[in-house]
Amino acid sequence: MRQDHLLTTKQLSRGEIEAVLDRAAEMDADPAAVRERHADELLALCFFEPSTRTKMSFETAMKRMGGDVVDMGHVESTSVEKGESLADTVRVVEGYADAIVLRHPRKGAAKMASEYVGVPVVNAGDGAGHHPSQTLLDLYTLRENARLDGLSIGIVGDLKYGRTVHSLAHALANFDVDQHFVSPESLRLPRGVRYDLHEAGASVQEHADLSDVLPSLDALYVTRIQRERFPGEDEYRAVAGQYRIDEETLAAADDDLVVLHPLPRVDEIAPDVDRTDHARYFQQAHNGVPVRMALLDLLLEES
Ligand code: NCD
């Protein structure tokens, strides 16, 4: 990868995406081969928002390659509480670590941080912006369980605030994929993302009703309504619970449909789906480790 930072999937070519996925597959096949590859290297984890999977899988990935992590910890326990700016925080942290993984509630935060430091920055979520490393593991899971070229995917839920959706949509535009976006009118894909997809010549359709497209899909990517990004509780309640997928919903789907979700889920996928062959979301979360190993390996190799 000829990239210093991973900020959005818009910056990635098809070839670069495939290079990460191929490297991840190698690591999956033989984790022992990379055990000492990044011995003595340190990854800084700076999470200004809650995280389970992203943070723990980056930590696991770095440790599996022989490296270690330094974790900023909870925001309340840091100098941010004293009024320190993000620019100052990352300039300090770059002196401690070989790369920085940053999650922040402000859109554009990772890009801004990357302008202040000389080590690679990975955007692990910037508000309602982007979440590119999640997309890489989503693509890896799709490639393993279905396909990329020739795929018909439904992306359902909070398309407005869902950063995993924005990153996934941009990345899928590099492949021969039909993208079907399903949401209430108020949570449609942002205009900027729609514009980018149009410019990229992507095949895109929008729907309000999942049943219009479900039978034709190879994959269904379900997302959580991003409660924390709504201006108020009333706006959230007006749309919450509109697309709940359960075993009965999936009766109309192809037998081979794979259901993905970046997790955490709240109630948008009923637990009865977990026992079906459609459910691939836990495997998807596990794929975070080989994919983030591959990503870090490539970024640290270049830096
Ligand atoms: C996502 C996120 O943080 O954007 N979680 C994740 O990283 N797997 C999705 C979400 O919070 O709904």
Side-chain angles (χ1 to χ4, degrees), residues 10-61:
K10 259 202 284 190
Q11 76 186 75
L12 297 178
S13 67
R14 177 182 173 120
E16 285 170 327
I17 291 170
E18 286 174 336
V20 179
L21 306 191
D22 291 346
R23 178 87 49 117
E26 281 167 36
M27 290 179 162
D28 229 353
D30 187 8
V34 289
R35 197 162 285 149
E36 292 306 316
R37 196 172 279 183
H38 294 284
D40 301 327
E41 287 184 321
L42 286 173
L43 178 67
L45 302 174
C46 298
F47 280 70
F48 293 79
E49 274 192 342
S51 173
T52 305
R53 277 149 290 274
T54 305
K55 187 167 160 180
M56 289 186 73
S57 62
F58 266 115
E59 178 163 358
T60 307

Side-chain angles (χ1 to χ4, degrees), residues 271-288:
D272 64 9
V273 178
D274 299 359
R275 59 169 181 252
T276 70
D277 281 343
H278 300 296
R280 304 295 160 97
Y281 27 90
F282 291 111
Q283 181 194 344
Q284 180 187 0
H286 297 159
N287 285 338

